[in-house]
Amino acid sequence: MAYAFNAFAGDKPGVGELLRAGLPHFDAGVVSFAAGQEVVGEGDPTENFFLVVRGLFRAVKFTRDGRRQVFAFYMPGDICGLEPDATHKLSIEAVDRAGMAILSRQACRARMDHDPRLNAALFEGATRALTLSIDHMLMIGRSSAEERLAWFLMMIRSRSASFGANVVELAMQRQDIADYLGLTIETVSRTFTQFKERGLITLPRKRRVEILRPDALGRLAAADRDAQSIPFAEAAPRLEVAAA
Amino acid sequence: MAYAFNAFAGDKPGVGELLRAGLPHFDAGVVSFAAGQEVVGEGDPTENFFLVVRGLFRAVKFTRDGRRQVFAFYMPGDICGLEPDATHKLSIEAVDRAGMAILSRQACRARMDHDPRLNAALFEGATRALTLSIDHMLMIGRSSAEERLAWFLMMIRSRSASFGANVVELAMQRQDIADYLGLTIETVSRTFTQFKERGLITLPRKRRVEILRPDALGRLAAADRDAQSIPFAEAAPRLEVAAA
DNA sequence: CGGACGATTGAGTATACTCAAATGTTGTGG
DNA sequence: CCACAACATTTGAGTATACTCAATCGTCCG
């Protein structure tokens, strides 16, 4: 979203390309981060925004009393950190060893006024981020634990490099999944176990999921939604854009 | 949000004014709606977007199996219906007798390319909507019923015409509140009762809430957040958190 | 091999849910 | 203006889902 939006790889104009072409010193600004390292923290001034180059990042918010919510995961090609206010409201952290291009908000803002395409692409990105956040919210507010995890797995699958592959790598740990889905780590774990027992998945490793029955998982994920907003399952005609 | 974003009354440049000034036929496009009437439905083409003139509207999403989520309430001055894709993903409905200016997406788009101020205002609106939606999500994913209702009441209070007044009118019915907060109608009702018993509020009428202790309610609302992101209570001295 | 951390499993419980009934409110027609 | 219907809200009783606390198991590294 502006907040932290995902310019999906394979997207139309390609915000990434537009930025790369339009901004000077683009490649000079790529920085590496270690797992768990913070890119920006809550309250930091919004001087820059970011384009993920490799690895995985997460947007997080902590609360005084220890509660934690993960709002998004960012994969290569995604943009994040564009915020309306003077300070960041979310922290952005590297989940694993990962890299980001650090872009000047100022430079981008100036360019936006001159390049309608970049303008349109960013605006679209921001609005699309909202669409994503709507799905996320619907999921958190109205779904059972198994629906949430199914939704999560199908989302990761649809966004993974090998689109449609039935083995997905989870770079994040269980706590991140739990905090993304609004569940506890124990419930996530139990639900994984339950999926195994039902023959929906196998877990060759803790962080690797083999999806045996994408159809069944997709139905679970879609149970609380209407068909059209679920671009997960294979046949996804990919009309608009694979939202989420 | 772009999706449905709120250009807060009293906002800086005033998206409303910019639009009114910049778009021809503005006043001709104001339409009235009866309570419950739909402005746009899920799947409708995104030809227009809207500026609330009077009354209250809601953005809703229904699911096959009857679940329902309210994503936002729009008050006069708010903009909604701006979406990235070709079709609406949310329905917009009038909550009570209400009025909207219907604006051409096309015309606005064109104007954005020529007027950096409108451009900036809309972009900021979209990003701010995301910020709101982040708070909403954090609330839904990580708060108890009482925290949610307290949050809701303080939000309505802060956005109401008479800012800071301790009597707020709820134009929406309990079901809307429940679906906004991710609760059931019974839980909302019980929590209202509980607030009354604790002396936090009174209910002169079902749809009118008098807030007796805005400080206590504000602490409840903020319990799961950090102080700075709670623009609710006025200058609440803000100790720690009342356990209660 | 052992330590540290992540993940799973177990037992018991709390919060918010479901189903059901009673009560309150609003609007309409006699 | 009152009576009644239709709908909104509250209250009650029982339950289910996901939570908490606690222990065990597994895996990755030194």
Side-chain angles (χ1 to χ4, degrees), chain B residues 130-151:
Chain B
L130 268 173
T131 304
L132 270 183
S133 123
I134 282 167
D135 266 11
H136 194 180
M137 204 186 300
L138 183 55
M139 188 274 299
I140 284 186
R142 291 279 173 238
S143 304
S144 65
E146 66 172 24
E147 287 168 346
R148 296 188 205 193
L149 188 60
W151 184 82

Side-chain angles (χ1 to χ4, degrees), chain A residues 1-3 42 63-64 67-68 84 119 127-128 130 133-134 136-137 142 147 179 183 222-224 226, chain B residues 1-3 42 63-65 67-68 84-85 119 127 130 133-134 136-137 142 147 179 183 222 224 226:
Chain A
M1 356 179 106
Y3 210 70
E42 219 182 314
T63 67
R64 279 189 296 233
R67 283 177 275 194
R68 180 176 180 266
N119 194 355
T127 53
R128 172 153 307 130
L130 269 173
S133 119
I134 282 167
H136 193 181
M137 206 186 297
R142 291 277 175 242
E147 287 168 345
D179 289 340
L183 296 170
D224 65 337
D226 44 14
Chain B
M1 8 182 87
Y3 211 70
E42 217 182 313
T63 66
R64 278 190 296 235
D65 56 354
R67 282 177 276 193
R68 180 175 179 266
D85 295 317
N119 194 356
T127 53
L130 268 173
S133 123
I134 282 167
H136 194 180
M137 204 186 300
R142 291 279 173 238
E147 287 168 346
D179 289 340
L183 297 170
D224 65 337
D226 44 12

Side-chain angles (χ1 to χ4, degrees), chain B residues 198-219:
Chain B
R198 285 206 261 161
L200 301 178
I201 63 170
T202 59
L203 285 174
R205 292 192 202 171
K206 299 291 182 196
R207 301 281 184 88
R208 175 174 296 167
V209 182
E210 183 185 6
I211 298 176
L212 299 177
R213 300 181 49 196
D215 52 331
L217 222 48
R219 279 193 298 276

Side-chain angles (χ1 to χ4, degrees), chain A residues 103-119:
Chain A
L103 306 165
S104 155
R105 181 193 171 87
Q106 203 100 56
C108 172
R109 196 46 86 119
R111 252 208 97 61
M112 274 180 72
D113 291 340
H114 296 299
D115 184 349
R117 282 186 317 154
L118 177 57
N119 194 355

Side-chain angles (χ1 to χ4, degrees), chain B residues 1-243:
Chain B
M1 8 182 87
Y3 211 70
F5 70 74
N6 311 61
F8 290 103
D11 225 6
K12 318 172 187 176
V15 182
E17 286 77 66
L18 285 171
L19 285 170
R20 186 184 290 268
L23 294 173
H25 317 306
F26 179 93
D27 294 298
V30 175
V31 177
S32 288
F33 294 89
Q37 203 178 344
E38 188 177 72
V39 180
V40 292
E42 217 182 313
D44 285 357
T46 49
E47 292 156 355
N48 303 303
F49 65 104
F50 314 94
L51 174 65
V52 179
V53 171
R54 65 189 155 74
L56 187 71
F57 292 85
R58 64 183 172 234
V60 201
K61 187 151 188 165
F62 289 96
T63 66
R64 278 190 296 235
D65 56 354
R67 282 177 276 193
R68 180 175 179 266
Q69 176 76 41
V70 172
F71 289 93
F73 293 106
Y74 306 120
M75 300 163 118
D78 290 349
I79 283 188
C80 58
L82 254 184
E83 299 201 26
D85 295 317
T87 59
H88 284 280
K89 299 278 179 299
L90 296 179
S91 302
I92 299 177
E93 304 168 349
V95 172
D96 53 4
R97 201 171 305 263
M100 272 184 162
I102 300 185
L103 305 166
S104 155
R105 183 194 170 85
Q106 204 99 55
C108 174
R109 200 42 90 118
R111 252 209 97 62
M112 275 180 72
D113 290 341
H114 295 300
D115 184 349
R117 282 185 316 155
L118 177 57
N119 194 356
L122 279 172
F123 191 78
E124 186 176 316
T127 53
R128 171 152 307 130
L130 268 173
T131 304
L132 270 183
S133 123
I134 282 167
D135 266 11
H136 194 180
M137 204 186 300
L138 183 55
M139 188 274 299
I140 284 186
R142 291 279 173 238
S143 304
S144 65
E146 66 172 24
E147 287 168 346
R148 296 188 205 193
L149 188 60
W151 184 82
F152 174 79
L153 289 175
M154 294 310 274
M155 178 201 68
I156 295 291
R157 172 168 176 266
S158 76
R159 293 188 58 197
S160 287
S162 43
F163 190 83
N166 280 327
V167 176
V168 298
E169 295 292 334
L170 305 176
M172 70 293 284
Q173 58 186 53
R174 296 290 189 271
Q175 189 64 61
D176 283 330
I177 299 175
D179 289 340
Y180 182 73
L181 298 178
L183 297 170
T184 59
I185 186 176
E186 294 97 329
T187 299
V188 169
S189 183
R190 280 184 240 275
T191 308
F192 265 120
T193 303
Q194 197 195 322
F195 281 178
K196 271 193 303 188
E197 288 168 352
R198 285 206 261 161
L200 301 178
I201 63 170
T202 59
L203 285 174
R205 292 192 202 171
K206 299 291 182 196
R207 301 281 184 88
R208 175 174 296 167
V209 182
E210 183 185 6
I211 298 176
L212 299 177
R213 300 181 49 196
D215 52 331
L217 222 48
R219 279 193 298 276
L220 261 182
D224 65 337
R225 253 166 294 281
D226 44 12
Q228 79 228 37
S229 72
I230 301 290
F232 297 146
E234 28 272 271
R238 176 134 299 161
L239 320 159
E240 271 307 304
V241 173

